[in-house]
Amino acid sequence: MKLTDLTKEDLENMSYDDLAYVILSESKKQMKIIDLFNKIGSLVGLSEKEVEDKIADFFEMLTLDKRFIMLDDGSWDLKERHVQKIIIEEDEEDVGLDEIEESPEMDEEEEEIFYDEEETDDSEDDLKDLVVIDEEEDAL
């Protein structure tokens, strides 16, 4: 779709983000948001005041639309023209499985520290001092 093929009525019925897509597609270059929205404003017949009032909403619209990307210099372009470079840096602290040293076995003395065969289950003794209070008795 080209801007020259669109009627005034077509332009007025299109959303601003669709118009921005057509403009950026045809221009084949990135644009500052103010220049892009001024172009849209002139196409659909917005006054300067309307452009000023609506540019914040237009910015939000572009940020939410996955077709667009804001570049480092603040200009906008079509995302399809930009390839994202993914850089994976290996952290020096990362240790591969082959680099993990096995821990030495514990000797019998160390095992006794963590496990005592003489311990018994005295969970009932822990509850002997427990007192249950009924809510009705507490209110009196």
Side-chain angles (χ1 to χ4, degrees):
M1 167 180 352
K2 292 187 176 187
L3 287 174
T4 54
D5 297 338
L6 298 172
T7 65
K8 181 77 170 169
E9 185 178 322
D10 292 335
L11 292 171
E12 290 173 355
N13 290 329
M14 288 180 71
S15 65
Y16 294 152
D17 55 337
D18 288 338
L19 285 170
Y21 185 84
V22 173
I23 291 168
L24 289 172
S25 294
E26 284 187 12
S27 70
K28 298 185 181 157
K29 63 179 183 174
Q30 59 201 28
M31 295 178 77
K32 296 285 186 186
I33 194 165
I34 188 69
D35 298 331
L36 183 58
F37 198 59
N38 279 333
K39 175 95 172 161
I40 291 170
S42 67
L43 289 171
V44 297
L46 296 177
S47 68
E48 286 183 36
K49 173 84 169 110
E50 289 174 310
V51 169
E52 288 176 19
D53 291 344
K54 295 181 179 187
I55 195 159
D57 293 332
F58 179 65
F59 175 80
E60 183 178 0
M61 187 183 307
L62 288 184
T63 57
L64 297 175
D65 193 323
K66 302 294 182 197
R67 298 178 292 175
F68 302 98
I69 185 170
M70 187 168 84
L71 304 173
D72 292 338
D73 65 351
S75 59
W76 287 85
D77 203 359
L78 300 177
K79 192 177 231 178
E80 62 196 36
R81 290 190 237 183
H82 298 271
V83 179
Q84 293 180 349
K85 295 179 183 177
I86 299 175
I87 300 171
I88 300 174
E89 294 180 8
E90 191 169 318
D91 205 4
E92 290 179 16
E93 294 178 12
D94 289 344
V95 178
L97 291 177
D98 56 334
E99 297 175 12
I100 297 176
E101 294 179 16
E102 290 187 27
S103 60
E105 297 280 331
M106 286 194 284
D107 61 13
E108 288 181 27
E109 275 184 40
E110 289 176 323
E111 283 184 26
E112 289 177 12
I113 294 172
F114 299 109
Y115 179 72
D116 187 5
E117 292 179 8
E118 294 179 13
E119 279 189 34
T120 59
D121 183 24
D122 57 355
S123 59
E124 290 180 21
D125 292 338
D126 291 341
L127 300 176
K128 71 179 178 187
D129 295 329
L130 183 65
V131 177
V132 179
I133 299 176
D134 191 8
E135 287 181 14
E136 291 176 11
E137 290 178 15
D138 191 35
L140 298 175

